[in-house]
Every structure is written in C-alpha cells, then in structure tokens.
Amino acid sequence: MRALLVEGGGVRAAFAAGVLDALLEDDERFDVVAGTSAGGLLAAAYLAGQRGRSLRVLRHPECRAAFGRISDFLRGGDLIDLDLLHEAAERLEPLDASTVMAHPARFFLTVTDVDTGSGHLIEPNAEELVDALMATSALPIAVRSPVEIRGMPCLDGGITIPIPVQEVIDLGATELVVVRTRPAAYRNSGRSGRLAAPWFDRKQPTMAKALRQRGEAYNAMVDLLEHPPEGVSVQQIRPRRTPACRRTGGTDVDIVRDHLMGVDAGQAWRSQRRIDAQHGRIP
C-alpha cells in the first residue's frame, strides 16, 4: 500500500504545492492520500487534478487578504478568516470536489478535538468535505471558533498529528512518500504551542495540554520518519532551504520562489524514481 502524506504550514506550504504540481505531471498511483492543515487543502487539489490551483489561490489578492487580519482580531474576530479564504478560492477556481471524492485513492485529513485535546484521522464523505478541510486548517487562536465535524469541535490537525505517519502505517501502508515543508534539520522547539496553551487553560485544559506537547509530538513524528518500522519504506521530499514564506503570509515573490523550489524537488524525486525503476530498485 502506497501513501502520499502532505505536511501543512500555512502559506509556507507553497513549497508542497509545487511538489504536488510536479507529481501531477506523471501518473503516480497512491492508495492513500492524507494531509494535515494546509497540506490537506493541497492534497484535495492534487486529487482533483487541478494543477496550479493551490499556487493561484495563494497568490490571489482576495485569498491573501484572509491572512494576517490583525485589526479584525483585535476587535474579537479571526486573524485568519477561513470563510473568506474558502469563498475567495471558490470564486477564483472552484475545487472539483466530485473528482476528489471519486478518486480511487482514499483521502484522509487530520483534526484535533478541542474538548478532549485528541487527534483524529478522518475520511470525509462528500457532505463533510468542505467543513473537514476548514477544520484541519483552523489554527488555534488565529481562528477563534472551532469547526464541528462528527459532533466534535475541531481545530488544526497539526496540533496533535503533524503528519499522520503512524496512522497510515496502522492502515497498512508500507511505502510512504512524505512531502515536508521543513528542511531536514528542523526540530520543533514547542515554543509556539506553549505560548498558545494559556488561551485554553481555563475552558479546555486538555487542549492546552495538547498544545504544550506539540513540540514533542512533532519530533516523535520526525523520529518515526527517520526510523520507520521494519517492512516500511519512507521517502521524504523536503525543501533544500527554509521556505521564504511564513505560516501566516509572504510576498508574491516569496510564494512563487517557494513553489518553484517545490516543483524542482518534485521533479528531482520523479527523476530518481525513474532511475530506480530502470535499475530494478522499485518492485
């Protein structure tokens, strides 16, 4: 069973968008496709076959206006307006949801239950798809109101499941292709989670605990990628340098540069895979 996993990272995921656009140039077959946070949005466009859509969305002024809304946030609104982002993206280029749902690969997203602080890997149906995509990318604090999925108030899946490596292994995946948005040497210090945790201490203490453990969860995931269990192979497609974009924004030039870096990385991976196939290193 082959699985394609896509890491999130907000606008920093422009790199991952480039990788996926490069993978769409070939008929790569995966049994499972899973994404976390922004990675889930990119994975949906990949399954829809909409090459370049993620880049067009990230670059469009209306979509970019959904990020960094400091004045709204200070008045009690959201720092990232997910409704505006979704509506603007749909006006620009609607996601072909029917193709996503009809794709032969199973599609999974990660979410974090605010009430329990636990992470979940869900396989959304057609009616849940939009809400699930919004829930997995709802950054804590930046989005004040959780998105309800299957009776759970949910926020960003990356809090508890940075990349669903163990989860897809548990599903039976034996070959993992993991699109990262962080360089190889990156480890999570846990600082952002610790800073966000007090926001939830009073009403959702389990969520606060999950945020304080975010760094540990991320680093444990990296350890698993680097030392997978016997019988499981992992290939990581990573940026050669730290992406120019930040989680909550970047200039148009930054977005294009990171996307091109991703295209280059994806094409390099495809070239190496063809070489491996010619030498019989791929079954």
PDB file of all heavy atoms in Angstrom, residues 220-250:
ATOM      1  N   ALA A 220       8.597  13.432  17.648  1.00  0.00           N
ATOM      2  CA  ALA A 220       8.384  11.985  17.631  1.00  0.00           C
ATOM      3  C   ALA A 220       8.009  11.526  16.221  1.00  0.00           C
ATOM      4  O   ALA A 220       8.434  10.443  15.765  1.00  0.00           O
ATOM      5  CB  ALA A 220       7.306  11.592  18.632  1.00  0.00           C
ATOM      6  N   MET A 221       7.220  12.349  15.535  1.00  0.00           N
ATOM      7  CA  MET A 221       6.854  12.031  14.150  1.00  0.00           C
ATOM      8  C   MET A 221       8.096  12.022  13.257  1.00  0.00           C
ATOM      9  O   MET A 221       8.276  11.131  12.416  1.00  0.00           O
ATOM     10  CB  MET A 221       5.826  13.046  13.651  1.00  0.00           C
ATOM     11  CG  MET A 221       5.393  12.884  12.201  1.00  0.00           C
ATOM     12  SD  MET A 221       6.490  13.726  11.022  1.00  0.00           S
ATOM     13  CE  MET A 221       6.332  15.425  11.540  1.00  0.00           C
ATOM     14  N   VAL A 222       8.991  13.007  13.438  1.00  0.00           N
ATOM     15  CA  VAL A 222      10.220  13.058  12.648  1.00  0.00           C
ATOM     16  C   VAL A 222      11.074  11.815  12.916  1.00  0.00           C
ATOM     17  O   VAL A 222      11.631  11.215  11.990  1.00  0.00           O
ATOM     18  CB  VAL A 222      11.016  14.341  12.959  1.00  0.00           C
ATOM     19  CG1 VAL A 222      12.388  14.299  12.270  1.00  0.00           C
ATOM     20  CG2 VAL A 222      10.242  15.578  12.518  1.00  0.00           C
ATOM     21  N   ASP A 223      11.165  11.412  14.185  1.00  0.00           N
ATOM     22  CA  ASP A 223      11.929  10.208  14.534  1.00  0.00           C
ATOM     23  C   ASP A 223      11.364   8.984  13.829  1.00  0.00           C
ATOM     24  O   ASP A 223      12.127   8.113  13.362  1.00  0.00           O
ATOM     25  CB  ASP A 223      11.913   9.992  16.049  1.00  0.00           C
ATOM     26  CG  ASP A 223      12.748  11.013  16.810  1.00  0.00           C
ATOM     27  OD1 ASP A 223      13.601  11.668  16.174  1.00  0.00           O
ATOM     28  OD2 ASP A 223      12.531  11.162  18.033  1.00  0.00           O
ATOM     29  N   LEU A 224      10.044   8.900  13.742  1.00  0.00           N
ATOM     30  CA  LEU A 224       9.414   7.761  13.071  1.00  0.00           C
ATOM     31  C   LEU A 224       9.719   7.780  11.575  1.00  0.00           C
ATOM     32  O   LEU A 224       9.957   6.725  10.972  1.00  0.00           O
ATOM     33  CB  LEU A 224       7.906   7.786  13.313  1.00  0.00           C
ATOM     34  CG  LEU A 224       7.083   6.646  12.697  1.00  0.00           C
ATOM     35  CD1 LEU A 224       7.580   5.290  13.187  1.00  0.00           C
ATOM     36  CD2 LEU A 224       5.596   6.819  13.033  1.00  0.00           C
ATOM     37  N   LEU A 225       9.730   8.968  10.975  1.00  0.00           N
ATOM     38  CA  LEU A 225      10.067   9.065   9.556  1.00  0.00           C
ATOM     39  C   LEU A 225      11.498   8.598   9.302  1.00  0.00           C
ATOM     40  O   LEU A 225      11.781   7.940   8.295  1.00  0.00           O
ATOM     41  CB  LEU A 225       9.922  10.511   9.076  1.00  0.00           C
ATOM     42  CG  LEU A 225       8.507  11.049   8.877  1.00  0.00           C
ATOM     43  CD1 LEU A 225       8.550  12.529   8.500  1.00  0.00           C
ATOM     44  CD2 LEU A 225       7.758  10.264   7.809  1.00  0.00           C
ATOM     45  N   GLU A 226      12.386   8.950  10.209  1.00  0.00           N
ATOM     46  CA  GLU A 226      13.793   8.620  10.017  1.00  0.00           C
ATOM     47  C   GLU A 226      14.125   7.183  10.416  1.00  0.00           C
ATOM     48  O   GLU A 226      15.116   6.625   9.951  1.00  0.00           O
ATOM     49  CB  GLU A 226      14.656   9.609  10.796  1.00  0.00           C
ATOM     50  CG  GLU A 226      14.532  11.041  10.260  1.00  0.00           C
ATOM     51  CD  GLU A 226      15.415  12.021  10.993  1.00  0.00           C
ATOM     52  OE1 GLU A 226      15.971  11.653  12.060  1.00  0.00           O
ATOM     53  OE2 GLU A 226      15.550  13.167  10.524  1.00  0.00           O
ATOM     54  N   HIS A 227      13.272   6.606  11.250  1.00  0.00           N
ATOM     55  CA  HIS A 227      13.499   5.224  11.696  1.00  0.00           C
ATOM     56  C   HIS A 227      12.171   4.453  11.634  1.00  0.00           C
ATOM     57  O   HIS A 227      11.601   4.091  12.661  1.00  0.00           O
ATOM     58  CB  HIS A 227      14.054   5.210  13.124  1.00  0.00           C
ATOM     59  CG  HIS A 227      15.291   6.040  13.290  1.00  0.00           C
ATOM     60  ND1 HIS A 227      16.530   5.640  12.845  1.00  0.00           N
ATOM     61  CD2 HIS A 227      15.475   7.266  13.838  1.00  0.00           C
ATOM     62  CE1 HIS A 227      17.421   6.563  13.112  1.00  0.00           C
ATOM     63  NE2 HIS A 227      16.812   7.567  13.714  1.00  0.00           N
ATOM     64  N   PRO A 228      11.681   4.204  10.424  1.00  0.00           N
ATOM     65  CA  PRO A 228      10.396   3.507  10.284  1.00  0.00           C
ATOM     66  C   PRO A 228      10.504   2.054  10.720  1.00  0.00           C
ATOM     67  O   PRO A 228      11.600   1.487  10.762  1.00  0.00           O
ATOM     68  CB  PRO A 228      10.096   3.616   8.785  1.00  0.00           C
ATOM     69  CG  PRO A 228      11.445   3.718   8.147  1.00  0.00           C
ATOM     70  CD  PRO A 228      12.290   4.501   9.120  1.00  0.00           C
ATOM     71  N   PRO A 229       9.368   1.432  11.032  1.00  0.00           N
ATOM     72  CA  PRO A 229       9.402   0.017  11.420  1.00  0.00           C
ATOM     73  C   PRO A 229       9.825  -0.862  10.251  1.00  0.00           C
ATOM     74  O   PRO A 229       9.749  -0.460   9.086  1.00  0.00           O
ATOM     75  CB  PRO A 229       7.951  -0.261  11.843  1.00  0.00           C
ATOM     76  CG  PRO A 229       7.138   0.810  11.204  1.00  0.00           C
ATOM     77  CD  PRO A 229       8.013   2.010  11.110  1.00  0.00           C
ATOM     78  N   GLU A 230      10.267  -2.039  10.561  1.00  0.00           N
ATOM     79  CA  GLU A 230      10.698  -2.987   9.536  1.00  0.00           C
ATOM     80  C   GLU A 230       9.555  -3.252   8.553  1.00  0.00           C
ATOM     81  O   GLU A 230       8.403  -3.419   8.944  1.00  0.00           O
ATOM     82  CB  GLU A 230      11.131  -4.309  10.193  1.00  0.00           C
ATOM     83  CG  GLU A 230      11.730  -5.306   9.222  1.00  0.00           C
ATOM     84  CD  GLU A 230      12.228  -6.557   9.919  1.00  0.00           C
ATOM     85  OE1 GLU A 230      12.221  -6.579  11.167  1.00  0.00           O
ATOM     86  OE2 GLU A 230      12.621  -7.495   9.206  1.00  0.00           O
ATOM     87  N   GLY A 231       9.893  -3.266   7.290  1.00  0.00           N
ATOM     88  CA  GLY A 231       8.888  -3.508   6.258  1.00  0.00           C
ATOM     89  C   GLY A 231       8.227  -2.261   5.730  1.00  0.00           C
ATOM     90  O   GLY A 231       7.387  -2.343   4.820  1.00  0.00           O
ATOM     91  N   VAL A 232       8.578  -1.105   6.275  1.00  0.00           N
ATOM     92  CA  VAL A 232       8.000   0.172   5.827  1.00  0.00           C
ATOM     93  C   VAL A 232       9.117   1.046   5.269  1.00  0.00           C
ATOM     94  O   VAL A 232      10.145   1.252   5.920  1.00  0.00           O
ATOM     95  CB  VAL A 232       7.295   0.911   6.990  1.00  0.00           C
ATOM     96  CG1 VAL A 232       6.810   2.287   6.530  1.00  0.00           C
ATOM     97  CG2 VAL A 232       6.127   0.085   7.515  1.00  0.00           C
ATOM     98  N   SER A 233       8.932   1.545   4.040  1.00  0.00           N
ATOM     99  CA  SER A 233       9.911   2.455   3.440  1.00  0.00           C
ATOM    100  C   SER A 233       9.347   3.875   3.439  1.00  0.00           C
ATOM    101  O   SER A 233       8.147   4.081   3.261  1.00  0.00           O
ATOM    102  CB  SER A 233      10.249   2.024   2.005  1.00  0.00           C
ATOM    103  OG  SER A 233       9.130   2.209   1.147  1.00  0.00           O
ATOM    104  N   VAL A 234      10.217   4.846   3.670  1.00  0.00           N
ATOM    105  CA  VAL A 234       9.819   6.251   3.719  1.00  0.00           C
ATOM    106  C   VAL A 234      10.705   7.058   2.786  1.00  0.00           C
ATOM    107  O   VAL A 234      11.936   6.965   2.843  1.00  0.00           O
ATOM    108  CB  VAL A 234       9.925   6.823   5.152  1.00  0.00           C
ATOM    109  CG1 VAL A 234       9.652   8.328   5.148  1.00  0.00           C
ATOM    110  CG2 VAL A 234       8.961   6.110   6.086  1.00  0.00           C
ATOM    111  N   GLN A 235      10.075   7.826   1.915  1.00  0.00           N
ATOM    112  CA  GLN A 235      10.797   8.771   1.056  1.00  0.00           C
ATOM    113  C   GLN A 235      10.280  10.167   1.391  1.00  0.00           C
ATOM    114  O   GLN A 235       9.073  10.408   1.356  1.00  0.00           O
ATOM    115  CB  GLN A 235      10.534   8.461  -0.421  1.00  0.00           C
ATOM    116  CG  GLN A 235      10.933   7.058  -0.838  1.00  0.00           C
ATOM    117  CD  GLN A 235      10.338   6.692  -2.173  1.00  0.00           C
ATOM    118  OE1 GLN A 235      10.654   7.296  -3.186  1.00  0.00           O
ATOM    119  NE2 GLN A 235       9.448   5.705  -2.172  1.00  0.00           N
ATOM    120  N   GLN A 236      11.194  11.062   1.727  1.00  0.00           N
ATOM    121  CA  GLN A 236      10.803  12.424   2.086  1.00  0.00           C
ATOM    122  C   GLN A 236      11.219  13.391   0.979  1.00  0.00           C
ATOM    123  O   GLN A 236      12.349  13.341   0.496  1.00  0.00           O
ATOM    124  CB  GLN A 236      11.451  12.842   3.400  1.00  0.00           C
ATOM    125  CG  GLN A 236      11.056  11.987   4.588  1.00  0.00           C
ATOM    126  CD  GLN A 236      11.578  12.550   5.884  1.00  0.00           C
ATOM    127  OE1 GLN A 236      11.230  13.661   6.288  1.00  0.00           O
ATOM    128  NE2 GLN A 236      12.426  11.790   6.569  1.00  0.00           N
ATOM    129  N   ILE A 237      10.299  14.258   0.609  1.00  0.00           N
ATOM    130  CA  ILE A 237      10.581  15.333  -0.342  1.00  0.00           C
ATOM    131  C   ILE A 237      10.569  16.620   0.467  1.00  0.00           C
ATOM    132  O   ILE A 237       9.509  17.061   0.927  1.00  0.00           O
ATOM    133  CB  ILE A 237       9.555  15.377  -1.485  1.00  0.00           C
ATOM    134  CG1 ILE A 237       9.432  14.003  -2.153  1.00  0.00           C
ATOM    135  CG2 ILE A 237       9.940  16.440  -2.503  1.00  0.00           C
ATOM    136  CD1 ILE A 237       8.371  13.934  -3.242  1.00  0.00           C
ATOM    137  N   ARG A 238      11.751  17.214   0.648  1.00  0.00           N
ATOM    138  CA  ARG A 238      11.895  18.336   1.578  1.00  0.00           C
ATOM    139  C   ARG A 238      12.519  19.541   0.886  1.00  0.00           C
ATOM    140  O   ARG A 238      13.265  19.385  -0.085  1.00  0.00           O
ATOM    141  CB  ARG A 238      12.778  17.930   2.758  1.00  0.00           C
ATOM    142  CG  ARG A 238      12.218  16.810   3.596  1.00  0.00           C
ATOM    143  CD  ARG A 238      13.156  16.385   4.697  1.00  0.00           C
ATOM    144  NE  ARG A 238      14.329  15.672   4.180  1.00  0.00           N
ATOM    145  CZ  ARG A 238      14.983  14.732   4.842  1.00  0.00           C
ATOM    146  NH1 ARG A 238      14.609  14.401   6.055  1.00  0.00           N
ATOM    147  NH2 ARG A 238      16.049  14.142   4.316  1.00  0.00           N
ATOM    148  N   PRO A 239      12.248  20.744   1.395  1.00  0.00           N
ATOM    149  CA  PRO A 239      12.900  21.925   0.819  1.00  0.00           C
ATOM    150  C   PRO A 239      14.391  21.925   1.123  1.00  0.00           C
ATOM    151  O   PRO A 239      14.815  21.521   2.204  1.00  0.00           O
ATOM    152  CB  PRO A 239      12.188  23.100   1.509  1.00  0.00           C
ATOM    153  CG  PRO A 239      11.631  22.525   2.770  1.00  0.00           C
ATOM    154  CD  PRO A 239      11.313  21.091   2.477  1.00  0.00           C
ATOM    155  N   ARG A 240      15.170  22.391   0.165  1.00  0.00           N
ATOM    156  CA  ARG A 240      16.626  22.419   0.340  1.00  0.00           C
ATOM    157  C   ARG A 240      17.059  23.571   1.250  1.00  0.00           C
ATOM    158  O   ARG A 240      18.189  23.587   1.732  1.00  0.00           O
ATOM    159  CB  ARG A 240      17.332  22.527  -1.009  1.00  0.00           C
ATOM    160  CG  ARG A 240      17.022  23.798  -1.771  1.00  0.00           C
ATOM    161  CD  ARG A 240      17.764  23.854  -3.104  1.00  0.00           C
ATOM    162  NE  ARG A 240      17.493  25.085  -3.839  1.00  0.00           N
ATOM    163  CZ  ARG A 240      16.503  25.232  -4.686  1.00  0.00           C
ATOM    164  NH1 ARG A 240      15.673  24.215  -4.912  1.00  0.00           N
ATOM    165  NH2 ARG A 240      16.319  26.386  -5.314  1.00  0.00           N
ATOM    166  N   ARG A 241      16.168  24.527   1.442  1.00  0.00           N
ATOM    167  CA  ARG A 241      16.419  25.645   2.353  1.00  0.00           C
ATOM    168  C   ARG A 241      15.116  25.971   3.064  1.00  0.00           C
ATOM    169  O   ARG A 241      14.043  25.500   2.664  1.00  0.00           O
ATOM    170  CB  ARG A 241      16.912  26.883   1.595  1.00  0.00           C
ATOM    171  CG  ARG A 241      15.948  27.338   0.500  1.00  0.00           C
ATOM    172  CD  ARG A 241      16.226  28.733   0.001  1.00  0.00           C
ATOM    173  NE  ARG A 241      15.398  29.056  -1.159  1.00  0.00           N
ATOM    174  CZ  ARG A 241      14.120  29.406  -1.101  1.00  0.00           C
ATOM    175  NH1 ARG A 241      13.502  29.490   0.068  1.00  0.00           N
ATOM    176  NH2 ARG A 241      13.434  29.673  -2.209  1.00  0.00           N
ATOM    177  N   THR A 242      15.198  26.776   4.114  1.00  0.00           N
ATOM    178  CA  THR A 242      13.985  27.189   4.811  1.00  0.00           C
ATOM    179  C   THR A 242      13.114  28.011   3.865  1.00  0.00           C
ATOM    180  O   THR A 242      13.608  28.969   3.253  1.00  0.00           O
ATOM    181  CB  THR A 242      14.332  28.039   6.048  1.00  0.00           C
ATOM    182  OG1 THR A 242      15.142  27.261   6.929  1.00  0.00           O
ATOM    183  CG2 THR A 242      13.073  28.467   6.779  1.00  0.00           C
ATOM    184  N   PRO A 243      11.825  27.676   3.702  1.00  0.00           N
ATOM    185  CA  PRO A 243      10.962  28.459   2.815  1.00  0.00           C
ATOM    186  C   PRO A 243      10.935  29.933   3.198  1.00  0.00           C
ATOM    187  O   PRO A 243      11.044  30.291   4.370  1.00  0.00           O
ATOM    188  CB  PRO A 243       9.586  27.807   3.012  1.00  0.00           C
ATOM    189  CG  PRO A 243       9.906  26.391   3.383  1.00  0.00           C
ATOM    190  CD  PRO A 243      11.133  26.487   4.239  1.00  0.00           C
ATOM    191  N   ALA A 244      10.817  30.791   2.196  1.00  0.00           N
ATOM    192  CA  ALA A 244      10.776  32.228   2.437  1.00  0.00           C
ATOM    193  C   ALA A 244       9.465  32.647   3.096  1.00  0.00           C
ATOM    194  O   ALA A 244       9.432  33.615   3.857  1.00  0.00           O
ATOM    195  CB  ALA A 244      10.971  32.973   1.114  1.00  0.00           C
ATOM    196  N   CYS A 245       8.394  31.914   2.810  1.00  0.00           N
ATOM    197  CA  CYS A 245       7.078  32.262   3.373  1.00  0.00           C
ATOM    198  C   CYS A 245       6.993  31.863   4.837  1.00  0.00           C
ATOM    199  O   CYS A 245       7.613  30.896   5.278  1.00  0.00           O
ATOM    200  CB  CYS A 245       5.966  31.567   2.596  1.00  0.00           C
ATOM    201  SG  CYS A 245       5.783  32.148   0.899  1.00  0.00           S
ATOM    202  N   ARG A 246       6.191  32.609   5.571  1.00  0.00           N
ATOM    203  CA  ARG A 246       5.863  32.278   6.956  1.00  0.00           C
ATOM    204  C   ARG A 246       4.526  31.549   6.974  1.00  0.00           C
ATOM    205  O   ARG A 246       3.830  31.472   5.962  1.00  0.00           O
ATOM    206  CB  ARG A 246       5.774  33.547   7.808  1.00  0.00           C
ATOM    207  CG  ARG A 246       7.004  34.426   7.722  1.00  0.00           C
ATOM    208  CD  ARG A 246       6.786  35.737   8.470  1.00  0.00           C
ATOM    209  NE  ARG A 246       5.560  36.424   8.073  1.00  0.00           N
ATOM    210  CZ  ARG A 246       5.431  37.142   6.968  1.00  0.00           C
ATOM    211  NH1 ARG A 246       6.453  37.251   6.124  1.00  0.00           N
ATOM    212  NH2 ARG A 246       4.295  37.738   6.681  1.00  0.00           N
ATOM    213  N   ARG A 247       4.157  31.062   8.136  1.00  0.00           N
ATOM    214  CA  ARG A 247       2.876  30.378   8.260  1.00  0.00           C
ATOM    215  C   ARG A 247       1.713  31.278   7.844  1.00  0.00           C
ATOM    216  O   ARG A 247       0.767  30.848   7.186  1.00  0.00           O
ATOM    217  CB  ARG A 247       2.670  29.910   9.704  1.00  0.00           C
ATOM    218  CG  ARG A 247       1.362  29.148   9.931  1.00  0.00           C
ATOM    219  CD  ARG A 247       1.238  28.705  11.382  1.00  0.00           C
ATOM    220  NE  ARG A 247       2.249  27.719  11.708  1.00  0.00           N
ATOM    221  CZ  ARG A 247       2.121  26.423  11.492  1.00  0.00           C
ATOM    222  NH1 ARG A 247       1.039  25.930  10.928  1.00  0.00           N
ATOM    223  NH2 ARG A 247       3.083  25.591  11.840  1.00  0.00           N
ATOM    224  N   THR A 248       1.769  32.549   8.238  1.00  0.00           N
ATOM    225  CA  THR A 248       0.633  33.447   8.007  1.00  0.00           C
ATOM    226  C   THR A 248       0.844  34.418   6.859  1.00  0.00           C
ATOM    227  O   THR A 248       0.063  35.352   6.699  1.00  0.00           O
ATOM    228  CB  THR A 248       0.305  34.257   9.277  1.00  0.00           C
ATOM    229  OG1 THR A 248       1.488  34.967   9.693  1.00  0.00           O
ATOM    230  CG2 THR A 248      -0.158  33.342  10.396  1.00  0.00           C
ATOM    231  N   GLY A 249       1.868  34.226   6.037  1.00  0.00           N
ATOM    232  CA  GLY A 249       2.000  35.118   4.902  1.00  0.00           C
ATOM    233  C   GLY A 249       3.354  35.091   4.235  1.00  0.00           C
ATOM    234  O   GLY A 249       4.277  34.383   4.645  1.00  0.00           O
ATOM    235  N   GLY A 250       3.457  35.884   3.207  1.00  0.00           N
ATOM    236  CA  GLY A 250       4.676  36.019   2.419  1.00  0.00           C
ATOM    237  C   GLY A 250       4.374  36.879   1.217  1.00  0.00           C
ATOM    238  O   GLY A 250       3.215  37.011   0.812  1.00  0.00           O
TER     239      GLY A 250
END
